[in-house]
Amino acid sequence: MKKVVLFLLFFLSLTSSAVFAHTALESANPAEGDVVTEELQEMVLEFNTDLEQGSSFTVEDERGQEVPIGVEIGGQSMTGTLGAAIANGTYTVNWEIIGADGHPIEGTYTFTQEVSKDSVPSEGTEEAVPSEDESADQGGTEEPQNENLAAPQETTNAPYVMVIVLIVLAVIAVGTLMWVSNKRGS
């Protein structure tokens, strides 16, 4: 029986680092909750694993309209280049990656762009088109800004499923070994 317990502890110690490793967004520019005050031209998302082809991210404005962005994958990061200047407002970044382990992971976060109307767009870029909120501001009405921004979220069941599978296998192994040792002892 001691050998069975030692074998199980050894087996679990070998697999524990793989089971509890969790692919995640390490950093982003702009990051969750950032207020961008200069014209945004590039976005960078850094992860804690190498990214496979098929990984990507999108950016949506407050109305859910997707902003045109070219995404390039390199090692553990994705870089997005905006095709044109974006209007002031809150934007949602939706990312989906396939990590080195092959498991798909996704998440979302928001940031706000508040470029001053006095700032001059940099040479070679298009001027930002005013959002509906800015158009409404000229008429004297202003919509309140949402200050309750959602925290980044990751949705994956991979680590939990792996833990459950390993526990079931361990129980089956212990039960089988106990049954075999009882049969030999009889």
Side-chain angles (χ1 to χ4, degrees):
M1 186 65 174
K2 263 187 179 179
K3 289 180 184 179
V4 171
V5 172
L6 289 175
F7 172 75
L8 285 175
L9 289 174
F10 176 73
F11 176 74
L12 290 175
S13 71
L14 289 178
T15 59
S16 64
S17 63
V19 170
F20 297 111
H22 190 48
T23 302
L25 177 64
E26 289 285 309
S27 66
N29 185 22
E32 164 68 26
D34 276 359
V35 177
V36 179
T37 57
E38 294 182 11
E39 185 179 319
L40 185 62
Q41 297 176 352
E42 183 178 84
M43 300 177 65
V44 179
L45 281 68
E46 295 278 343
F47 295 86
N48 64 351
T49 185
D50 286 336
L51 304 177
E52 300 293 324
Q53 291 302 317
S55 300
S56 188
F57 70 93
T58 60
V59 179
E60 295 177 354
D61 64 17
E62 294 168 333
R63 296 171 297 215
Q65 301 277 328
E66 193 169 312
V67 174
I69 189 167
V71 178
E72 291 183 27
I73 301 169
Q76 296 183 339
S77 67
M78 287 191 289
T79 303
T81 305
L82 295 165
I86 58 176
N88 286 346
T90 301
Y91 291 86
T92 302
V93 177
N94 300 301
W95 54 267
E96 296 180 13
I97 66 160
I98 301 171
D101 62 359
H103 290 109
I105 308 288
E106 61 186 36
T108 185
Y109 72 90
T110 58
F111 70 91
T112 303
Q113 177 163 299
E114 291 182 6
V115 176
S116 166
K117 293 178 184 181
D118 296 334
S119 67
V120 178
S122 54
E123 197 171 309
T125 61
E126 298 176 26
E127 190 164 335
V129 177
S131 68
E132 287 179 8
D133 290 342
E134 291 172 337
S135 299
D137 286 347
Q138 294 171 357
T141 60
E142 186 174 324
E143 291 184 27
Q145 296 234 350
N146 183 3
E147 294 183 21
N148 298 325
L149 301 177
Q153 297 177 354
E154 295 174 22
T155 54
T156 180
N157 293 331
Y160 305 111
V161 171
M162 190 93 109
V163 169
I164 291 169
V165 167
L166 287 175
I167 290 172
V168 168
L169 289 174
V171 168
I172 290 171
V174 168
T176 302
L177 289 172
M178 290 176 68
W179 179 72
V180 168
S181 66
N182 283 341
K183 282 284 195 183
R184 288 185 182 171
S186 299

